[in-house]
Amino acid sequence: MSSNFSKKGCRGCYACVRVCPVDAIVIKGGQADILMDRCILCGRCSKACPQHYRVEKTSINSVKNFIKSGETVIASVAPSFASAFGKQSLKIPAVLRHLGFTHVEDSGITTKPIFDIYNAYANEKDNENYITSMCPTINHLIQKHYPELTNSIIPVVPPFISHGRFLKHKYGTDNKVVFIGPCVAKKTDATKEICVDEVITFYELQKWLQSENLNLEDFPIEPFDYIYKDKIIFPIAGETSDFIESKNPSKTVFCVNGIEDCKSVLNSIKNGKFENTFFEMNACNHGCLYGSDLDKDDRCFFEVKRDLINNKQKYIDLFQAKAVKNPYEDIALDVLLYKEYPPKPFKFEQPTEYEIKEILKTMGKTSRADELNCGSCGYKTCREKAIAVFNGIAEPSMCLPYMRSRAESLSNIICESSPNLIGLVDKDLMIIELNPAAESFFKIEKDEADGMPLGMYLDDQEFERVRTFRKNVRNEKITFEEYDNSTILQTIYWLEQNQMFLWLAVDITKDERAKEKLQTLKIETVEMAQQVIAKQMTVAQEIASLLGETTAETKITLTKLKNFILDDEEGKE
């Protein structure tokens, strides 16, 4: 099953594939999509995408509709809000009320019951390993990719779900609860719960404020409905571990941050290298302070941590009356915190060694030496990529070294074998390369022209005009007296992006000489025809003259004969 990952404008750069820690990106027809059965909702693909396409759709309009309907809408704000809004985060309660939220609470006020359950598991004398369930991404990682370890997940809801359940218990199930936090994974988890009606991230809230032209500086500092006095600040990685260790647990306690380290530890647990250990696991480095949907600013982690601690203390100092030890203590026992995390395995089919080799051949890899394992396709090794191709989630064309080699090979074949003259010239009018046809035309040795001034062979002023006026030259006839009056039709392109010229030319010398020969033949033929006509006229005139003389003589003779006959008749009479 794939997600609604935006298809518009995907450039096939494989940035999302390279950052996905669980190979959940599908590439088909050059288009990236997400295999949700493998996805752990870490949000890395959204951040890596140069087109800035986000995996999850915004929920702002849905929340706006809650507010417009006149319903009671409660904002459950993750205590890591200081990581998104910095020193202005003290204004968040006021601005949320301005947007229309009826109640605004810090979701951290319900962590104490969860931490108490964690502590109970940390003190179990059963030699088992246990993993916190606060991070939805870690829960998905274990359920889908380490299903044999799901029994190690402590069966309790994450804090944002526990707060949602408390809110529904307190204000009624018909009222709307909107969680606002740093994490995209909570969006999917919320759809499976009836206690949280919608989730928006801090990033979405920032966009919402921008669309309303609201500036936090213009709002007063107001308190949440409750200020939790407990010293636990669970968004900071290690706070959970510190709490457990302060209770003298029976198990060894470790805090693990970042998906890579978490995967490494999970592999070790699976291989039996840990026992009787309690693990606090966070998918994001530094925990929720660097959540998956937070835009990083120029503050370092320690600045963010300082702001969070200072803000909490400032709230307590400013609003002592609102500060309580545990506002939900009286109803904690009535709200279910239990949650199971069943295994959801999804494994690739494993091809045979023969099938792997055949797939590798389609990527130009016929030997181990061809398997560069460069990772440009997003997979750690060429063999992992071949397995992905076998399972239909990757394509052979994703191998960039192979495609580059193929493209270069094809372009080289075209350039080397082309009868046309081809050249590349840099912006300083120095020759980068000429193909064999061009070298033969200019009667130079292989690579002799490389790095030489263009003016040695061609009129470089024409190239300057092309670049200056951004008007390419096409099919311009040039004759070279120094090269036996050879003639070409040249085309000059200025490649702005590459800052170089592409010179293409066709040698039409033979055609031009054939034309000249034909023209000469035509002229000679005309002259010969003229001579024949003149000679024929002379002959005609001579014949006419002879015919005239003969006719005159004949006339005289016949006249004499006539007169002789007439004279003879008269004598007889």
Side-chain angles (χ1 to χ4, degrees), residues 501-513:
F501 296 93
L502 173 63
W503 177 71
L504 304 171
V506 180
D507 186 353
I508 60 171
T509 303
K510 289 183 180 180
D511 293 338
E512 288 297 299
R513 289 176 179 171

Side-chain angles (χ1 to χ4, degrees), residues 1 57 123 226 248 345 478 485 533 556:
M1 177 183 176
K57 292 183 178 179
N123 279 284
Y226 294 104
N248 298 316
I478 304 292
N485 288 317
I533 292 171
I556 292 171

Side-chain angles (χ1 to χ4, degrees), residues 59 82 94 119 177-178 234 402 415 431 433-434 467 471 495 571:
S59 304
N119 183 58
V177 173
V178 178
F234 81 89
Y402 168 63
C415 290
I431 296 173
E433 185 178 359
L434 295 178
R467 182 173 60 180
K471 188 174 182 180
L495 309 177

Side-chain angles (χ1 to χ4, degrees), residues 191-476:
T191 61
K192 304 170 185 176
E193 300 282 345
I194 60 172
C195 59
V196 177
D197 299 282
E198 198 57 86
V199 172
I200 62 174
T201 65
F202 291 142
Y203 174 84
E204 290 176 282
L205 179 57
Q206 288 168 333
K207 295 299 180 184
W208 187 358
L209 298 182
Q210 291 174 11
S211 68
E212 301 281 349
N213 293 317
L214 298 178
N215 192 329
L216 286 174
E217 294 180 356
D218 299 331
F219 287 85
I221 296 176
E222 291 182 3
F224 288 100
D225 288 8
Y226 294 104
I227 305 298
Y228 191 27
K229 289 196 297 186
D230 198 290
K231 293 181 179 179
I232 298 173
I233 309 178
F234 81 89
I236 300 176
E239 285 288 307
T240 303
S241 299
D242 290 344
F243 174 83
I244 298 300
E245 288 181 332
S246 69
K247 304 296 183 180
N248 298 316
S250 299
K251 300 181 182 296
T252 302
V253 179
F254 287 127
C255 176
V256 190
N257 296 309
I259 295 175
E260 285 70 23
D261 282 349
C262 288
K263 287 175 63 179
S264 178
V265 169
L266 291 170
N267 285 324
S268 294
I269 296 174
K270 186 171 70 172
N271 294 326
K273 296 182 180 180
F274 282 101
E275 61 180 24
N276 202 38
T277 307
F278 181 97
F279 295 96
E280 173 194 346
M281 284 196 180
N282 302 287
C284 297
N285 290 314
H286 304 303
C288 295
L289 290 192
Y290 273 31
S292 59
D293 204 45
L294 282 174
D295 277 351
K296 297 288 191 300
D297 53 27
D298 58 356
R299 293 177 299 156
C300 71
F301 162 70
F302 296 99
E303 289 180 87
V304 175
K305 181 178 179 179
R306 178 202 63 198
D307 291 343
L308 181 62
I309 294 172
N310 290 346
N311 285 350
K312 185 176 180 68
Q313 188 59 49
K314 192 168 184 177
Y315 269 130
I316 294 173
D317 294 341
L318 287 174
F319 306 105
Q320 283 288 341
K322 291 281 186 178
V324 295
K325 184 66 177 175
N326 185 354
Y328 291 105
E329 190 171 7
D330 56 332
I331 60 172
L333 296 177
D334 299 325
V335 178
L336 291 176
L337 297 180
Y338 181 78
K339 178 179 174 65
E340 288 186 347
Y341 297 92
K344 300 177 181 178
F346 180 91
K347 293 185 178 180
F348 289 142
E349 292 184 26
Q350 185 63 37
T352 64
E353 186 64 22
Y354 172 78
E355 289 170 326
I356 290 176
K357 287 182 177 179
E358 289 300 303
I359 293 171
L360 289 171
K361 285 180 182 178
T362 66
M363 297 183 284
K365 303 178 188 306
T366 57
S367 68
R368 283 285 184 179
D370 296 327
E371 297 177 29
L372 302 179
N373 301 327
C374 65
S376 60
C377 64
Y379 293 89
K380 292 179 181 178
T381 67
C382 297
R383 295 176 70 82
E384 284 186 18
K385 159 76 177 303
I387 294 171
V389 172
F390 180 82
N391 281 274
I393 70 168
E395 298 175 329
S397 60
M398 291 167 62
C399 180
L400 300 186
Y402 168 63
M403 294 304 293
R404 179 180 177 182
S405 174
R406 183 181 176 189
E408 288 177 349
S409 175
L410 289 172
S411 63
N412 286 340
I413 290 172
I414 293 170
C415 290
E416 293 286 328
S417 61
S418 175
N420 297 327
L421 285 57
I422 304 173
L424 290 174
V425 180
D426 68 21
K427 61 184 180 63
D428 298 319
L429 300 177
M430 304 297 284
I431 296 173
I432 298 173
E433 185 178 359
L434 295 178
N435 76 331
E439 291 174 335
S440 176
F441 179 86
F442 292 117
K443 296 180 174 58
I444 57 178
E445 298 294 328
K446 180 176 175 60
D447 302 330
E448 181 182 335
D450 296 359
M452 301 299 289
L454 177 66
M456 293 180 62
Y457 305 97
L458 293 164
D459 180 8
D460 55 9
Q461 293 182 357
E462 191 67 26
F463 285 73
E464 283 282 19
R465 283 191 288 271
V466 168
R467 182 173 60 180
T468 301
F469 298 107
R470 297 296 193 272
K471 188 174 182 180
N472 297 325
V473 167
R474 292 181 175 83
N475 297 324
E476 179 185 33

